[in-house]
Short mmCIF file of all heavy atoms in Angstrom, two decimals:
data_model
loop_
_atom_site.label_atom_id
_atom_site.label_comp_id
_atom_site.label_asym_id
_atom_site.label_seq_id
_atom_site.Cartn_x
_atom_site.Cartn_y
_atom_site.Cartn_z
N GLY V 267 -24.01 40.75 95.24
CA GLY V 267 -25.00 40.31 94.27
C GLY V 267 -25.05 38.82 94.22
O GLY V 267 -24.28 38.13 94.88
N GLY V 268 -25.98 38.30 93.44
CA GLY V 268 -26.14 36.86 93.31
C GLY V 268 -25.21 36.27 92.27
O GLY V 268 -24.28 36.94 91.78
N ILE V 269 -25.47 35.04 91.93
CA ILE V 269 -24.58 34.28 91.05
C ILE V 269 -24.41 34.96 89.68
O ILE V 269 -23.30 35.02 89.14
CB ILE V 269 -25.11 32.81 90.95
CG1 ILE V 269 -24.05 31.90 90.35
CG2 ILE V 269 -26.40 32.71 90.21
CD1 ILE V 269 -24.38 30.43 90.54
N ASN V 272 -22.29 38.28 90.07
CA ASN V 272 -20.89 37.94 90.34
C ASN V 272 -20.19 37.48 89.06
O ASN V 272 -19.04 37.84 88.81
CB ASN V 272 -20.81 36.82 91.37
CG ASN V 272 -20.74 37.34 92.79
OD1 ASN V 272 -19.66 37.55 93.33
ND2 ASN V 272 -21.89 37.61 93.39
N SER V 307 -18.13 36.71 103.61
CA SER V 307 -19.18 35.86 103.01
C SER V 307 -18.73 34.40 103.00
O SER V 307 -17.52 34.13 102.95
CB SER V 307 -19.39 36.32 101.55
OG SER V 307 -19.99 35.31 100.79
N SER V 308 -19.69 33.49 102.97
CA SER V 308 -19.33 32.07 102.96
C SER V 308 -18.71 31.65 101.64
O SER V 308 -18.16 30.54 101.55
CB SER V 308 -20.57 31.22 103.24
OG SER V 308 -21.59 31.49 102.31
N CYS V 309 -18.74 32.52 100.62
CA CYS V 309 -18.13 32.13 99.34
C CYS V 309 -16.60 32.22 99.37
O CYS V 309 -15.95 31.90 98.39
CB CYS V 309 -18.70 32.95 98.20
SG CYS V 309 -18.13 34.64 98.20
N ASN V 333 -17.88 33.06 91.62
CA ASN V 333 -17.73 34.18 92.53
C ASN V 333 -16.32 34.35 93.10
O ASN V 333 -16.13 34.94 94.17
CB ASN V 333 -18.77 34.15 93.65
CG ASN V 333 -18.66 32.92 94.51
OD1 ASN V 333 -17.56 32.37 94.67
ND2 ASN V 333 -19.76 32.45 95.07
N TYR V 336 -15.17 38.15 93.90
CA TYR V 336 -15.71 38.66 95.17
C TYR V 336 -15.04 37.95 96.34
O TYR V 336 -14.65 38.56 97.34
CB TYR V 336 -17.22 38.40 95.18
CG TYR V 336 -17.96 38.80 96.42
CD1 TYR V 336 -18.15 40.13 96.75
CD2 TYR V 336 -18.51 37.82 97.26
CE1 TYR V 336 -18.87 40.48 97.87
CE2 TYR V 336 -19.23 38.18 98.40
CZ TYR V 336 -19.41 39.51 98.69
OH TYR V 336 -20.11 39.87 99.81
N ASN V 365 -25.55 32.61 103.47
CA ASN V 365 -26.47 33.34 102.58
C ASN V 365 -27.53 34.04 103.41
O ASN V 365 -28.25 33.39 104.16
CB ASN V 365 -27.10 32.39 101.58
CG ASN V 365 -26.14 31.95 100.49
OD1 ASN V 365 -24.94 31.78 100.75
ND2 ASN V 365 -26.65 31.76 99.29
N ASN V 375 -34.47 41.27 89.54
CA ASN V 375 -34.77 39.96 88.95
C ASN V 375 -33.54 39.20 88.51
O ASN V 375 -33.46 37.97 88.65
CB ASN V 375 -35.69 40.20 87.75
CG ASN V 375 -36.40 38.94 87.31
OD1 ASN V 375 -36.68 38.06 88.14
ND2 ASN V 375 -36.67 38.82 86.03
N SER V 378 -29.94 39.92 91.82
CA SER V 378 -30.07 39.67 93.26
C SER V 378 -29.72 38.21 93.59
O SER V 378 -29.42 37.41 92.70
CB SER V 378 -31.51 39.95 93.70
OG SER V 378 -32.35 38.96 93.17
N HIS V 379 -29.77 37.89 94.89
CA HIS V 379 -29.62 36.50 95.32
C HIS V 379 -30.91 35.73 95.09
O HIS V 379 -31.95 36.33 94.80
CB HIS V 379 -29.24 36.47 96.81
CG HIS V 379 -27.86 36.99 97.06
ND1 HIS V 379 -27.60 38.22 97.60
CD2 HIS V 379 -26.64 36.43 96.82
CE1 HIS V 379 -26.30 38.41 97.69
NE2 HIS V 379 -25.68 37.34 97.22
N VAL V 380 -30.84 34.44 95.24
CA VAL V 380 -31.97 33.57 94.86
C VAL V 380 -33.25 33.90 95.64
O VAL V 380 -34.34 33.97 95.05
CB VAL V 380 -31.59 32.07 94.98
CG1 VAL V 380 -31.19 31.67 96.39
CG2 VAL V 380 -32.74 31.19 94.50
N LEU V 381 -33.15 34.13 96.92
CA LEU V 381 -34.38 34.25 97.71
C LEU V 381 -35.21 35.49 97.33
O LEU V 381 -36.39 35.37 97.01
CB LEU V 381 -34.01 34.21 99.21
CG LEU V 381 -35.12 33.90 100.18
CD1 LEU V 381 -34.59 33.22 101.43
CD2 LEU V 381 -35.89 35.14 100.52
N ALA V 383 -34.98 37.12 94.52
CA ALA V 383 -35.36 36.98 93.11
C ALA V 383 -36.62 36.14 92.99
O ALA V 383 -37.57 36.47 92.25
CB ALA V 383 -34.22 36.35 92.31
N LEU V 384 -36.66 35.03 93.75
CA LEU V 384 -37.83 34.15 93.67
C LEU V 384 -39.07 34.82 94.26
O LEU V 384 -40.17 34.68 93.74
CB LEU V 384 -37.57 32.82 94.38
CG LEU V 384 -36.48 31.95 93.74
CD1 LEU V 384 -36.44 30.58 94.42
CD2 LEU V 384 -36.69 31.79 92.25
N ARG V 387 -40.38 37.14 91.70
CA ARG V 387 -40.92 36.45 90.52
C ARG V 387 -42.25 35.76 90.83
O ARG V 387 -43.20 35.84 90.06
CB ARG V 387 -39.90 35.43 90.02
CG ARG V 387 -39.71 35.51 88.52
CD ARG V 387 -38.56 34.64 88.07
NE ARG V 387 -37.27 35.28 88.25
CZ ARG V 387 -36.13 34.62 88.46
NH1 ARG V 387 -36.12 33.30 88.56
NH2 ARG V 387 -35.02 35.26 88.61
N VAL V 401 -37.24 29.14 87.41
CA VAL V 401 -36.20 29.16 88.45
C VAL V 401 -34.93 28.60 87.83
O VAL V 401 -34.98 27.67 87.03
CB VAL V 401 -36.67 28.32 89.68
CG1 VAL V 401 -35.59 28.37 90.77
CG2 VAL V 401 -37.98 28.84 90.22
N TRP V 402 -33.80 29.19 88.18
CA TRP V 402 -32.53 28.87 87.51
C TRP V 402 -31.91 27.56 88.04
O TRP V 402 -32.04 27.22 89.21
CB TRP V 402 -31.50 29.95 87.75
CG TRP V 402 -31.88 31.31 87.27
CD1 TRP V 402 -32.98 31.65 86.52
CD2 TRP V 402 -31.20 32.54 87.52
NE1 TRP V 402 -33.00 32.99 86.30
CE2 TRP V 402 -31.92 33.58 86.88
CE3 TRP V 402 -30.00 32.86 88.20
CZ2 TRP V 402 -31.52 34.90 86.93
CZ3 TRP V 402 -29.61 34.18 88.23
CH2 TRP V 402 -30.34 35.18 87.60
N GLY V 403 -31.17 26.90 87.12
CA GLY V 403 -30.32 25.77 87.49
C GLY V 403 -31.10 24.48 87.62
O GLY V 403 -32.19 24.32 87.06
N PRO V 407 -28.61 22.34 94.14
CA PRO V 407 -27.65 22.90 95.12
C PRO V 407 -28.30 23.10 96.49
O PRO V 407 -29.50 23.42 96.59
CB PRO V 407 -27.26 24.25 94.51
CG PRO V 407 -27.50 24.10 93.07
CD PRO V 407 -28.70 23.19 92.93
N ARG V 409 -28.27 25.19 100.08
CA ARG V 409 -27.82 26.44 100.67
C ARG V 409 -28.36 26.57 102.09
O ARG V 409 -29.44 26.07 102.42
CB ARG V 409 -28.34 27.65 99.85
CG ARG V 409 -27.72 27.81 98.48
CD ARG V 409 -26.27 28.22 98.54
NE ARG V 409 -25.72 28.45 97.21
CZ ARG V 409 -25.19 27.50 96.40
NH1 ARG V 409 -25.16 26.23 96.81
NH2 ARG V 409 -24.71 27.82 95.22
N ILE V 444 -32.32 24.22 96.61
CA ILE V 444 -32.96 25.34 95.93
C ILE V 444 -34.39 24.95 95.53
O ILE V 444 -35.31 25.76 95.54
CB ILE V 444 -32.11 25.79 94.70
CG1 ILE V 444 -30.75 26.31 95.18
CG2 ILE V 444 -32.83 26.82 93.87
CD1 ILE V 444 -30.79 27.48 96.16
N PRO V 468 -26.31 28.71 85.67
CA PRO V 468 -25.38 27.95 86.51
C PRO V 468 -25.95 27.63 87.89
O PRO V 468 -26.76 28.38 88.44
CB PRO V 468 -24.17 28.90 86.65
CG PRO V 468 -24.72 30.26 86.39
CD PRO V 468 -25.89 30.11 85.48
N ASP V 469 -25.48 26.50 88.44
CA ASP V 469 -25.88 26.09 89.79
C ASP V 469 -25.00 26.74 90.85
O ASP V 469 -25.38 26.87 92.00
CB ASP V 469 -25.72 24.56 89.95
CG ASP V 469 -26.99 23.80 89.58
OD1 ASP V 469 -28.04 24.46 89.45
OD2 ASP V 469 -26.89 22.57 89.47
N GLY V 470 -23.75 27.05 90.47
CA GLY V 470 -22.80 27.53 91.46
C GLY V 470 -22.30 26.39 92.32
O GLY V 470 -22.35 25.22 91.92
N THR V 471 -21.82 26.72 93.50
CA THR V 471 -21.24 25.70 94.36
C THR V 471 -22.33 24.68 94.79
O THR V 471 -23.46 25.07 95.01
CB THR V 471 -20.54 26.40 95.55
OG1 THR V 471 -19.54 25.58 96.06
CG2 THR V 471 -21.49 26.80 96.63
N LYS V 474 -23.10 24.51 100.55
CA LYS V 474 -22.36 25.56 101.28
C LYS V 474 -22.96 25.70 102.67
O LYS V 474 -23.66 26.65 102.96
CB LYS V 474 -22.50 26.86 100.48
CG LYS V 474 -21.51 27.92 100.82
CD LYS V 474 -21.38 29.04 99.79
CE LYS V 474 -22.65 29.60 99.25
NZ LYS V 474 -22.45 30.87 98.51
O1 GFB X 28 -28.40 33.28 95.69
P1 GFB X 28 -27.40 32.84 94.70
O2 GFB X 28 -27.17 33.76 93.55
O3 GFB X 28 -26.10 32.58 95.55
O4 GFB X 28 -27.84 31.45 94.04
P2 GFB X 28 -24.87 31.59 95.63
C1 GFB X 28 -28.08 30.31 94.82
C2 GFB X 28 -28.62 29.20 93.95
O5 GFB X 28 -29.95 29.53 93.55
C3 GFB X 28 -27.84 28.88 92.67
C4 GFB X 28 -30.10 29.26 92.16
O6 GFB X 28 -27.78 27.49 92.50
C5 GFB X 28 -28.72 29.49 91.59
O7 GFB X 28 -28.57 28.87 90.31
N1 GFB X 28 -31.17 30.15 91.61
C6 GFB X 28 -32.36 29.73 91.14
C7 GFB X 28 -31.11 31.47 91.48
N2 GFB X 28 -33.07 30.77 90.66
C8 GFB X 28 -32.33 31.86 90.89
C9 GFB X 28 -32.55 33.25 90.64
O8 GFB X 28 -33.57 33.67 90.10
N3 GFB X 28 -31.57 34.11 91.04
C10 GFB X 28 -30.42 33.68 91.65
N4 GFB X 28 -29.52 34.59 92.02
N5 GFB X 28 -30.16 32.36 91.86
C11 GFB X 28 -23.66 33.86 95.86
C12 GFB X 28 -22.35 34.42 95.41
O9 GFB X 28 -23.65 32.57 95.44
O10 GFB X 28 -23.78 33.83 97.27
C13 GFB X 28 -21.99 35.64 96.12
O11 GFB X 28 -22.34 34.56 94.02
C14 GFB X 28 -22.27 35.59 97.61
O12 GFB X 28 -20.64 35.91 95.91
C15 GFB X 28 -23.59 34.98 97.95
O13 GFB X 28 -21.26 34.89 98.28
C16 GFB X 28 -23.82 34.77 99.44
O14 GFB X 28 -24.91 31.02 96.99
O15 GFB X 28 -24.78 30.65 94.51
#
Side-chain angles (χ1 to χ4, degrees):
I269 194 166
N272 269 268
S307 159
S308 57
C309 72
N333 61 29
Y336 178 71
N365 286 34
N375 198 30
S378 70
H379 291 104
V380 59
L381 197 152
L384 294 188
R387 227 172 278 150
V401 181
W402 301 352
R409 291 292 184 274
I444 297 301
D469 269 348
T471 204
K474 198 164 45 167

